[in-house]
Amino acid sequence: LNIREIAKRAKVSTATVSRTVNGTPSVDPKLARRVWKVVNQLGYYPNTHARGLVSGRSRTFGIIVSEITNPFFPEIVQSFENIAVQHNYEILLTSTINDPERMKLAVRRMIERRVDGVAVMTFGMEEALTSDPHLRSTPLVFVDQSPDDERSSHLHIDYLHGIRQAIAHLASLSHTRIAFVSGPLNLPSARERHQAFLTAMREQAIRVQPEFVVEGDHTMEGGMRALQHLAAHFPHRVLRPTAVLCSNDMTAIGVMRQAYELGLNIPRDLSVIGFDDIRLARFLIPPLTTVQMSQTRLAELAFHALLSAADPSDDTPAPEHRLETCLIYRRSTGPAPK
Amino acid sequence: LNIREIAKRAKVSTATVSRTVNGTPSVDPKLARRVWKVVNQLGYYPNTHARGLVSGRSRTFGIIVSEITNPFFPEIVQSFENIAVQHNYEILLTSTINDPERMKLAVRRMIERRVDGVAVMTFGMEEALTSDPHLRSTPLVFVDQSPDDERSSHLHIDYLHGIRQAIAHLASLSHTRIAFVSGPLNLPSARERHQAFLTAMREQAIRVQPEFVVEGDHTMEGGMRALQHLAAHFPHRVLRPTAVLCSNDMTAIGVMRQAYELGLNIPRDLSVIGFDDIRLARFLIPPLTTVQMSQTRLAELAFHALLSAADPSDDTPAPEHRLETCLIYRRSTGPAPK
DNA sequence: ATGAAAGCGCTAACAC
DNA sequence: GTGTTAGCGCTTTCAT
């Protein structure tokens, strides 16, 4: 069931069918109606492969995330898809489970599919992408940093603002023994958060104890290990941190879970603050105080960056490539125990 | 950079390049090497659209989920993708956010993309799919039930087994006032779980109080509302349920959260059991006792059902289209308070 | 074993 | 405003 079949039945040329289906204005309404009737009647759907072959474009964007099973990402994917649908774009998803090989493969497959752009939401620009000569012709959008390339852009996230608020909040609650569980430090975005923590602590004139900053991996298991480690390291309760800031919410969940294991009450014995504000955060027990980084907004920014690069005819004005963060007060923080 | 360019540089015909790239055995190793060299050197990637156009197949499977932001689904998607990558298939994801219109649109887009099959993981066969005449030529796999169609198949899930265990577990803990928070009852899979609850209760000879079964919607908010409702309905504590079985884990999270709000301790004052065993379940406070339905296994079954329909040449033997469930004991259940 | 050429379904340039 | 037609990049007969 192809365009020729429709043309024959509607007694017009294939060109007219094509024009009708694509909404070219210069078609006689009479003919158009005739064509649409046949199209609907027969249930004709144009073949995307043929379209893509001739146009060179696919109306498809790739989106690469590090771990779809981390609740932070589904929100992004959902928002990205919502906008994509609105703009009649398709999405090709890849969850790389943090495997560079997998990442490379994903890129290759996306190139083969001739995607019109790809959003790389891995929070750390992998070289796999910058090295591939093919990508030089495909619009790419990264988070935090991008290769120095005409077609690539990146979203700038202001981690500092929210983290500054978090530390100020803790300080106002009289906490001075503040720990930080970072993400994997080979990840640029994790490094930025770490830096922001250091900066904010300095601003509040609170000493950073080296043993209080431990490297996590942005997973719940990592969060559990981190607090376990912290607790084991300081047998004397009075020397332990009274608050811990986590590089993401999953880590915070792990920390809270380990606190439960240790018989520590949150926030009475320990205050914890997360980062991301995943939807789940408000449903934790107690509800998690966390730094919000809007996943919806992030997806929107990424999509529009891609769209304006892929389809210059699009009139939507490009929004700022900038994302703010801010603290959301909930119940996992409280006054420092003395 | 197309096949002709490669052919020219390798001084062979385009046919030979095609054969080489596709691993057709009848190519002189000498020529093959020459071709590969050029291919790699220039970084040539065959154009999928052209391939799809001529072959009529796309090596792409669609996967439709109800809500990617429900942590149950990312696990499925990740597993599905893992297998897809292994088999050199691509996936087109759609999260319908339970909107039938959206579902319809998704199907349409997938047809246009000429997917080789689609896994409909919405746990309730929408008519949108059965009505579309086009789908009659595309392999489809559903959960729980499928239209009576040659190309469609479905995965049978044995809800009863796990739920039976759950109720038996509660009974052994002396609970008799057991509530059930169902999913949306227009969803076949939610209805099946509900039925399984009724059956299991009958088997244990425990009376089902009508006011103890409340309809939820498989969200955390729904879980909160459900317990709120239950509590409001029974001002006298002694009349309240001492245990609640939830139709999915998200609901259980909501229930636990509301219990916290109400000052109820779990499991001392209230036992709760979930369903699905999402990864998060073991990280909840307390860790959630729940009925496990393997997301990985589900994805595998779905993929293989599709694969064997789409590519009969594939030799992998089709696994059973059947999925068991079983109870995982954790710490959200305890003896009934008296 | 290799090459020449037809054609997959569609769009766009061009002619009318 | 509509039709004719030449490809888009690839696979696949069919010759050789």
Side-chain angles (χ1 to χ4, degrees), chain A residues 284-316:
Chain A
L284 295 175
I285 298 172
L288 183 68
T289 295
T290 189
V291 176
Q292 175 173 62
M293 160 162 73
S294 167
Q295 288 114 80
T296 305
R297 187 91 186 106
L298 192 60
E300 285 173 4
L301 292 179
F303 188 89
H304 281 114
L306 254 26
L307 189 62
S308 62
D311 185 1
S313 79
D314 188 272
D315 47 347
T316 324

PDB file of all heavy atoms in Angstrom, chain A residues 284-316:
ATOM      1  N   LEU A 284       9.651  10.094  50.270  1.00  0.00           N
ATOM      2  CA  LEU A 284      10.541   9.360  51.155  1.00  0.00           C
ATOM      3  C   LEU A 284      10.128   9.626  52.593  1.00  0.00           C
ATOM      4  O   LEU A 284       9.355  10.529  52.871  1.00  0.00           O
ATOM      5  CB  LEU A 284      11.995   9.808  50.928  1.00  0.00           C
ATOM      6  CG  LEU A 284      12.535   9.469  49.547  1.00  0.00           C
ATOM      7  CD1 LEU A 284      13.926  10.060  49.364  1.00  0.00           C
ATOM      8  CD2 LEU A 284      12.571   7.951  49.345  1.00  0.00           C
ATOM      9  N   ILE A 285      10.675   8.810  53.473  1.00  0.00           N
ATOM     10  CA  ILE A 285      10.359   8.951  54.889  1.00  0.00           C
ATOM     11  C   ILE A 285      11.638   9.204  55.663  1.00  0.00           C
ATOM     12  O   ILE A 285      12.465   8.305  55.761  1.00  0.00           O
ATOM     13  CB  ILE A 285       9.650   7.696  55.413  1.00  0.00           C
ATOM     14  CG1 ILE A 285       8.333   7.527  54.652  1.00  0.00           C
ATOM     15  CG2 ILE A 285       9.425   7.783  56.909  1.00  0.00           C
ATOM     16  CD1 ILE A 285       7.627   6.235  54.934  1.00  0.00           C
ATOM     17  N   PRO A 286      11.840  10.382  56.177  1.00  0.00           N
ATOM     18  CA  PRO A 286      11.007  11.569  55.979  1.00  0.00           C
ATOM     19  C   PRO A 286      11.230  12.160  54.589  1.00  0.00           C
ATOM     20  O   PRO A 286      12.245  11.874  53.958  1.00  0.00           O
ATOM     21  CB  PRO A 286      11.534  12.532  57.054  1.00  0.00           C
ATOM     22  CG  PRO A 286      12.976  12.174  57.176  1.00  0.00           C
ATOM     23  CD  PRO A 286      13.013  10.673  57.026  1.00  0.00           C
ATOM     24  N   PRO A 287      10.279  13.006  54.156  1.00  0.00           N
ATOM     25  CA  PRO A 287      10.420  13.669  52.855  1.00  0.00           C
ATOM     26  C   PRO A 287      11.767  14.374  52.762  1.00  0.00           C
ATOM     27  O   PRO A 287      12.194  15.014  53.716  1.00  0.00           O
ATOM     28  CB  PRO A 287       9.267  14.669  52.848  1.00  0.00           C
ATOM     29  CG  PRO A 287       8.241  14.061  53.747  1.00  0.00           C
ATOM     30  CD  PRO A 287       9.015  13.340  54.816  1.00  0.00           C
ATOM     31  N   LEU A 288      12.413  14.212  51.639  1.00  0.00           N
ATOM     32  CA  LEU A 288      13.792  14.666  51.490  1.00  0.00           C
ATOM     33  C   LEU A 288      13.956  16.139  51.127  1.00  0.00           C
ATOM     34  O   LEU A 288      13.412  16.618  50.135  1.00  0.00           O
ATOM     35  CB  LEU A 288      14.474  13.807  50.424  1.00  0.00           C
ATOM     36  CG  LEU A 288      15.945  14.048  50.131  1.00  0.00           C
ATOM     37  CD1 LEU A 288      16.797  13.621  51.321  1.00  0.00           C
ATOM     38  CD2 LEU A 288      16.362  13.295  48.878  1.00  0.00           C
ATOM     39  N   THR A 289      14.735  16.833  51.927  1.00  0.00           N
ATOM     40  CA  THR A 289      15.156  18.180  51.572  1.00  0.00           C
ATOM     41  C   THR A 289      16.206  18.022  50.476  1.00  0.00           C
ATOM     42  O   THR A 289      17.124  17.215  50.602  1.00  0.00           O
ATOM     43  CB  THR A 289      15.803  18.873  52.790  1.00  0.00           C
ATOM     44  OG1 THR A 289      14.813  19.030  53.798  1.00  0.00           O
ATOM     45  CG2 THR A 289      16.369  20.229  52.401  1.00  0.00           C
ATOM     46  N   THR A 290      16.042  18.748  49.394  1.00  0.00           N
ATOM     47  CA  THR A 290      16.956  18.500  48.270  1.00  0.00           C
ATOM     48  C   THR A 290      17.089  19.705  47.361  1.00  0.00           C
ATOM     49  O   THR A 290      16.264  20.624  47.398  1.00  0.00           O
ATOM     50  CB  THR A 290      16.459  17.279  47.456  1.00  0.00           C
ATOM     51  OG1 THR A 290      17.448  16.905  46.502  1.00  0.00           O
ATOM     52  CG2 THR A 290      15.165  17.601  46.719  1.00  0.00           C
ATOM     53  N   VAL A 291      18.137  19.696  46.568  1.00  0.00           N
ATOM     54  CA  VAL A 291      18.357  20.785  45.624  1.00  0.00           C
ATOM     55  C   VAL A 291      17.672  20.414  44.314  1.00  0.00           C
ATOM     56  O   VAL A 291      17.919  19.354  43.753  1.00  0.00           O
ATOM     57  CB  VAL A 291      19.852  21.017  45.368  1.00  0.00           C
ATOM     58  CG1 VAL A 291      20.045  22.088  44.296  1.00  0.00           C
ATOM     59  CG2 VAL A 291      20.553  21.423  46.657  1.00  0.00           C
ATOM     60  N   GLN A 292      16.801  21.284  43.875  1.00  0.00           N
ATOM     61  CA  GLN A 292      16.043  20.968  42.682  1.00  0.00           C
ATOM     62  C   GLN A 292      16.753  21.370  41.402  1.00  0.00           C
ATOM     63  O   GLN A 292      17.260  22.475  41.263  1.00  0.00           O
ATOM     64  CB  GLN A 292      14.701  21.693  42.735  1.00  0.00           C
ATOM     65  CG  GLN A 292      13.881  21.535  41.478  1.00  0.00           C
ATOM     66  CD  GLN A 292      12.506  22.115  41.639  1.00  0.00           C
ATOM     67  OE1 GLN A 292      12.355  23.308  41.868  1.00  0.00           O
ATOM     68  NE2 GLN A 292      11.504  21.272  41.556  1.00  0.00           N
ATOM     69  N   MET A 293      16.777  20.423  40.475  1.00  0.00           N
ATOM     70  CA  MET A 293      17.265  20.727  39.125  1.00  0.00           C
ATOM     71  C   MET A 293      16.166  20.201  38.227  1.00  0.00           C
ATOM     72  O   MET A 293      15.971  18.998  38.114  1.00  0.00           O
ATOM     73  CB  MET A 293      18.585  19.989  38.897  1.00  0.00           C
ATOM     74  CG  MET A 293      18.950  19.813  37.451  1.00  0.00           C
ATOM     75  SD  MET A 293      20.703  19.439  37.219  1.00  0.00           S
ATOM     76  CE  MET A 293      20.786  17.755  37.797  1.00  0.00           C
ATOM     77  N   SER A 294      15.415  21.074  37.621  1.00  0.00           N
ATOM     78  CA  SER A 294      14.213  20.654  36.904  1.00  0.00           C
ATOM     79  C   SER A 294      14.513  19.744  35.721  1.00  0.00           C
ATOM     80  O   SER A 294      15.161  20.125  34.754  1.00  0.00           O
ATOM     81  CB  SER A 294      13.436  21.870  36.416  1.00  0.00           C
ATOM     82  OG  SER A 294      12.464  21.470  35.484  1.00  0.00           O
ATOM     83  N   GLN A 295      14.003  18.540  35.804  1.00  0.00           N
ATOM     84  CA  GLN A 295      14.221  17.599  34.720  1.00  0.00           C
ATOM     85  C   GLN A 295      13.445  18.001  33.469  1.00  0.00           C
ATOM     86  O   GLN A 295      13.921  17.857  32.341  1.00  0.00           O
ATOM     87  CB  GLN A 295      13.799  16.196  35.176  1.00  0.00           C
ATOM     88  CG  GLN A 295      14.787  15.609  36.181  1.00  0.00           C
ATOM     89  CD  GLN A 295      14.178  15.413  37.562  1.00  0.00           C
ATOM     90  OE1 GLN A 295      13.474  14.443  37.794  1.00  0.00           O
ATOM     91  NE2 GLN A 295      14.450  16.341  38.470  1.00  0.00           N
ATOM     92  N   THR A 296      12.279  18.530  33.698  1.00  0.00           N
ATOM     93  CA  THR A 296      11.460  18.986  32.584  1.00  0.00           C
ATOM     94  C   THR A 296      12.169  20.094  31.816  1.00  0.00           C
ATOM     95  O   THR A 296      12.284  20.058  30.590  1.00  0.00           O
ATOM     96  CB  THR A 296      10.127  19.554  33.120  1.00  0.00           C
ATOM     97  OG1 THR A 296       9.518  18.550  33.914  1.00  0.00           O
ATOM     98  CG2 THR A 296       9.220  19.939  31.987  1.00  0.00           C
ATOM     99  N   ARG A 297      12.651  21.034  32.582  1.00  0.00           N
ATOM    100  CA  ARG A 297      13.327  22.176  31.977  1.00  0.00           C
ATOM    101  C   ARG A 297      14.571  21.720  31.209  1.00  0.00           C
ATOM    102  O   ARG A 297      14.852  22.184  30.105  1.00  0.00           O
ATOM    103  CB  ARG A 297      13.721  23.137  33.098  1.00  0.00           C
ATOM    104  CG  ARG A 297      14.269  24.437  32.632  1.00  0.00           C
ATOM    105  CD  ARG A 297      13.184  25.495  32.468  1.00  0.00           C
ATOM    106  NE  ARG A 297      13.773  26.694  31.868  1.00  0.00           N
ATOM    107  CZ  ARG A 297      13.574  27.044  30.610  1.00  0.00           C
ATOM    108  NH1 ARG A 297      12.762  26.354  29.840  1.00  0.00           N
ATOM    109  NH2 ARG A 297      14.153  28.122  30.121  1.00  0.00           N
ATOM    110  N   LEU A 298      15.283  20.799  31.806  1.00  0.00           N
ATOM    111  CA  LEU A 298      16.493  20.283  31.187  1.00  0.00           C
ATOM    112  C   LEU A 298      16.161  19.661  29.837  1.00  0.00           C
ATOM    113  O   LEU A 298      16.819  19.917  28.815  1.00  0.00           O
ATOM    114  CB  LEU A 298      17.110  19.227  32.110  1.00  0.00           C
ATOM    115  CG  LEU A 298      18.522  18.760  31.811  1.00  0.00           C
ATOM    116  CD1 LEU A 298      19.480  19.933  31.878  1.00  0.00           C
ATOM    117  CD2 LEU A 298      18.944  17.692  32.811  1.00  0.00           C
ATOM    118  N   ALA A 299      15.108  18.868  29.821  1.00  0.00           N
ATOM    119  CA  ALA A 299      14.690  18.212  28.585  1.00  0.00           C
ATOM    120  C   ALA A 299      14.271  19.246  27.543  1.00  0.00           C
ATOM    121  O   ALA A 299      14.630  19.147  26.361  1.00  0.00           O
ATOM    122  CB  ALA A 299      13.544  17.254  28.863  1.00  0.00           C
ATOM    123  N   GLU A 300      13.556  20.245  27.998  1.00  0.00           N
ATOM    124  CA  GLU A 300      13.113  21.291  27.076  1.00  0.00           C
ATOM    125  C   GLU A 300      14.296  22.011  26.452  1.00  0.00           C
ATOM    126  O   GLU A 300      14.344  22.225  25.243  1.00  0.00           O
ATOM    127  CB  GLU A 300      12.259  22.326  27.818  1.00  0.00           C
ATOM    128  CG  GLU A 300      10.863  21.858  28.134  1.00  0.00           C
ATOM    129  CD  GLU A 300      10.115  22.859  29.024  1.00  0.00           C
ATOM    130  OE1 GLU A 300      10.680  23.946  29.314  1.00  0.00           O
ATOM    131  OE2 GLU A 300       8.996  22.540  29.422  1.00  0.00           O
ATOM    132  N   LEU A 301      15.237  22.357  27.295  1.00  0.00           N
ATOM    133  CA  LEU A 301      16.408  23.068  26.792  1.00  0.00           C
ATOM    134  C   LEU A 301      17.143  22.212  25.773  1.00  0.00           C
ATOM    135  O   LEU A 301      17.535  22.690  24.711  1.00  0.00           O
ATOM    136  CB  LEU A 301      17.341  23.427  27.952  1.00  0.00           C
ATOM    137  CG  LEU A 301      16.810  24.462  28.927  1.00  0.00           C
ATOM    138  CD1 LEU A 301      17.820  24.722  30.039  1.00  0.00           C
ATOM    139  CD2 LEU A 301      16.501  25.772  28.192  1.00  0.00           C
ATOM    140  N   ALA A 302      17.306  20.953  26.107  1.00  0.00           N
ATOM    141  CA  ALA A 302      18.025  20.057  25.207  1.00  0.00           C
ATOM    142  C   ALA A 302      17.295  19.939  23.880  1.00  0.00           C
ATOM    143  O   ALA A 302      17.892  20.054  22.803  1.00  0.00           O
ATOM    144  CB  ALA A 302      18.174  18.686  25.850  1.00  0.00           C
ATOM    145  N   PHE A 303      16.000  19.752  23.973  1.00  0.00           N
ATOM    146  CA  PHE A 303      15.232  19.577  22.742  1.00  0.00           C
ATOM    147  C   PHE A 303      15.324  20.810  21.859  1.00  0.00           C
ATOM    148  O   PHE A 303      15.566  20.722  20.661  1.00  0.00           O
ATOM    149  CB  PHE A 303      13.768  19.275  23.045  1.00  0.00           C
ATOM    150  CG  PHE A 303      12.989  18.912  21.820  1.00  0.00           C
ATOM    151  CD1 PHE A 303      12.921  17.595  21.401  1.00  0.00           C
ATOM    152  CD2 PHE A 303      12.358  19.890  21.059  1.00  0.00           C
ATOM    153  CE1 PHE A 303      12.230  17.253  20.249  1.00  0.00           C
ATOM    154  CE2 PHE A 303      11.667  19.563  19.900  1.00  0.00           C
ATOM    155  CZ  PHE A 303      11.603  18.237  19.497  1.00  0.00           C
ATOM    156  N   HIS A 304      15.156  21.954  22.454  1.00  0.00           N
ATOM    157  CA  HIS A 304      15.171  23.166  21.642  1.00  0.00           C
ATOM    158  C   HIS A 304      16.539  23.467  21.056  1.00  0.00           C
ATOM    159  O   HIS A 304      16.642  23.996  19.958  1.00  0.00           O
ATOM    160  CB  HIS A 304      14.605  24.343  22.433  1.00  0.00           C
ATOM    161  CG  HIS A 304      13.115  24.319  22.462  1.00  0.00           C
ATOM    162  ND1 HIS A 304      12.391  24.121  23.614  1.00  0.00           N
ATOM    163  CD2 HIS A 304      12.199  24.386  21.458  1.00  0.00           C
ATOM    164  CE1 HIS A 304      11.091  24.093  23.313  1.00  0.00           C
ATOM    165  NE2 HIS A 304      10.957  24.244  22.023  1.00  0.00           N
ATOM    166  N   ALA A 305      17.548  23.089  21.797  1.00  0.00           N
ATOM    167  CA  ALA A 305      18.897  23.280  21.256  1.00  0.00           C
ATOM    168  C   ALA A 305      19.029  22.445  19.990  1.00  0.00           C
ATOM    169  O   ALA A 305      19.526  22.904  18.953  1.00  0.00           O
ATOM    170  CB  ALA A 305      19.938  22.853  22.285  1.00  0.00           C
ATOM    171  N   LEU A 306      18.542  21.230  20.066  1.00  0.00           N
ATOM    172  CA  LEU A 306      18.610  20.338  18.918  1.00  0.00           C
ATOM    173  C   LEU A 306      17.745  20.846  17.774  1.00  0.00           C
ATOM    174  O   LEU A 306      18.162  20.882  16.613  1.00  0.00           O
ATOM    175  CB  LEU A 306      18.118  18.949  19.347  1.00  0.00           C
ATOM    176  CG  LEU A 306      19.142  17.835  19.532  1.00  0.00           C
ATOM    177  CD1 LEU A 306      20.518  18.363  19.876  1.00  0.00           C
ATOM    178  CD2 LEU A 306      18.673  16.846  20.577  1.00  0.00           C
ATOM    179  N   LEU A 307      16.542  21.224  18.136  1.00  0.00           N
ATOM    180  CA  LEU A 307      15.593  21.653  17.113  1.00  0.00           C
ATOM    181  C   LEU A 307      16.111  22.848  16.327  1.00  0.00           C
ATOM    182  O   LEU A 307      16.043  22.865  15.098  1.00  0.00           O
ATOM    183  CB  LEU A 307      14.252  22.010  17.762  1.00  0.00           C
ATOM    184  CG  LEU A 307      13.108  22.262  16.785  1.00  0.00           C
ATOM    185  CD1 LEU A 307      12.826  21.012  15.974  1.00  0.00           C
ATOM    186  CD2 LEU A 307      11.852  22.710  17.513  1.00  0.00           C
ATOM    187  N   SER A 308      16.639  23.804  17.041  1.00  0.00           N
ATOM    188  CA  SER A 308      17.066  24.997  16.317  1.00  0.00           C
ATOM    189  C   SER A 308      18.279  24.701  15.443  1.00  0.00           C
ATOM    190  O   SER A 308      18.491  25.342  14.430  1.00  0.00           O
ATOM    191  CB  SER A 308      17.356  26.150  17.281  1.00  0.00           C
ATOM    192  OG  SER A 308      18.409  25.795  18.141  1.00  0.00           O
ATOM    193  N   ALA A 309      19.041  23.690  15.831  1.00  0.00           N
ATOM    194  CA  ALA A 309      20.188  23.324  14.995  1.00  0.00           C
ATOM    195  C   ALA A 309      19.746  22.474  13.806  1.00  0.00           C
ATOM    196  O   ALA A 309      20.267  22.605  12.708  1.00  0.00           O
ATOM    197  CB  ALA A 309      21.212  22.558  15.825  1.00  0.00           C
ATOM    198  N   ALA A 310      18.763  21.622  14.040  1.00  0.00           N
ATOM    199  CA  ALA A 310      18.358  20.686  12.995  1.00  0.00           C
ATOM    200  C   ALA A 310      17.398  21.311  12.000  1.00  0.00           C
ATOM    201  O   ALA A 310      17.371  20.942  10.830  1.00  0.00           O
ATOM    202  CB  ALA A 310      17.702  19.458  13.622  1.00  0.00           C
ATOM    203  N   ASP A 311      16.630  22.240  12.475  1.00  0.00           N
ATOM    204  CA  ASP A 311      15.588  22.801  11.635  1.00  0.00           C
ATOM    205  C   ASP A 311      15.571  24.310  11.772  1.00  0.00           C
ATOM    206  O   ASP A 311      14.773  24.874  12.521  1.00  0.00           O
ATOM    207  CB  ASP A 311      14.237  22.204  12.079  1.00  0.00           C
ATOM    208  CG  ASP A 311      13.112  22.640  11.164  1.00  0.00           C
ATOM    209  OD1 ASP A 311      13.377  23.371  10.188  1.00  0.00           O
ATOM    210  OD2 ASP A 311      11.965  22.251  11.426  1.00  0.00           O
ATOM    211  N   PRO A 312      16.457  24.962  11.053  1.00  0.00           N
ATOM    212  CA  PRO A 312      16.602  26.413  11.178  1.00  0.00           C
ATOM    213  C   PRO A 312      15.315  27.146  10.820  1.00  0.00           C
ATOM    214  O   PRO A 312      15.119  28.282  11.226  1.00  0.00           O
ATOM    215  CB  PRO A 312      17.704  26.739  10.163  1.00  0.00           C
ATOM    216  CG  PRO A 312      18.380  25.427   9.878  1.00  0.00           C
ATOM    217  CD  PRO A 312      17.317  24.390  10.026  1.00  0.00           C
ATOM    218  N   SER A 313      14.436  26.463  10.097  1.00  0.00           N
ATOM    219  CA  SER A 313      13.201  27.124   9.697  1.00  0.00           C
ATOM    220  C   SER A 313      12.257  27.280  10.887  1.00  0.00           C
ATOM    221  O   SER A 313      11.320  28.063  10.842  1.00  0.00           O
ATOM    222  CB  SER A 313      12.496  26.326   8.609  1.00  0.00           C
ATOM    223  OG  SER A 313      11.795  25.234   9.170  1.00  0.00           O
ATOM    224  N   ASP A 314      12.517  26.500  11.908  1.00  0.00           N
ATOM    225  CA  ASP A 314      11.649  26.593  13.077  1.00  0.00           C
ATOM    226  C   ASP A 314      11.757  27.979  13.692  1.00  0.00           C
ATOM    227  O   ASP A 314      12.842  28.516  13.883  1.00  0.00           O
ATOM    228  CB  ASP A 314      12.036  25.539  14.124  1.00  0.00           C
ATOM    229  CG  ASP A 314      11.037  25.493  15.259  1.00  0.00           C
ATOM    230  OD1 ASP A 314      11.209  26.264  16.224  1.00  0.00           O
ATOM    231  OD2 ASP A 314      10.088  24.704  15.158  1.00  0.00           O
ATOM    232  N   ASP A 315      10.630  28.530  13.998  1.00  0.00           N
ATOM    233  CA  ASP A 315      10.608  29.914  14.459  1.00  0.00           C
ATOM    234  C   ASP A 315      10.690  30.076  15.969  1.00  0.00           C
ATOM    235  O   ASP A 315      10.897  31.167  16.467  1.00  0.00           O
ATOM    236  CB  ASP A 315       9.336  30.604  13.943  1.00  0.00           C
ATOM    237  CG  ASP A 315       8.112  29.728  14.171  1.00  0.00           C
ATOM    238  OD1 ASP A 315       8.300  28.539  14.475  1.00  0.00           O
ATOM    239  OD2 ASP A 315       6.988  30.235  14.040  1.00  0.00           O
ATOM    240  N   THR A 316      10.491  28.977  16.703  1.00  0.00           N
ATOM    241  CA  THR A 316      10.547  29.085  18.156  1.00  0.00           C
ATOM    242  C   THR A 316      11.864  29.720  18.575  1.00  0.00           C
ATOM    243  O   THR A 316      12.926  29.267  18.165  1.00  0.00           O
ATOM    244  CB  THR A 316      10.469  27.684  18.811  1.00  0.00           C
ATOM    245  OG1 THR A 316       9.594  26.870  18.060  1.00  0.00           O
ATOM    246  CG2 THR A 316      10.007  27.788  20.245  1.00  0.00           C
TER     247      THR A 316
END
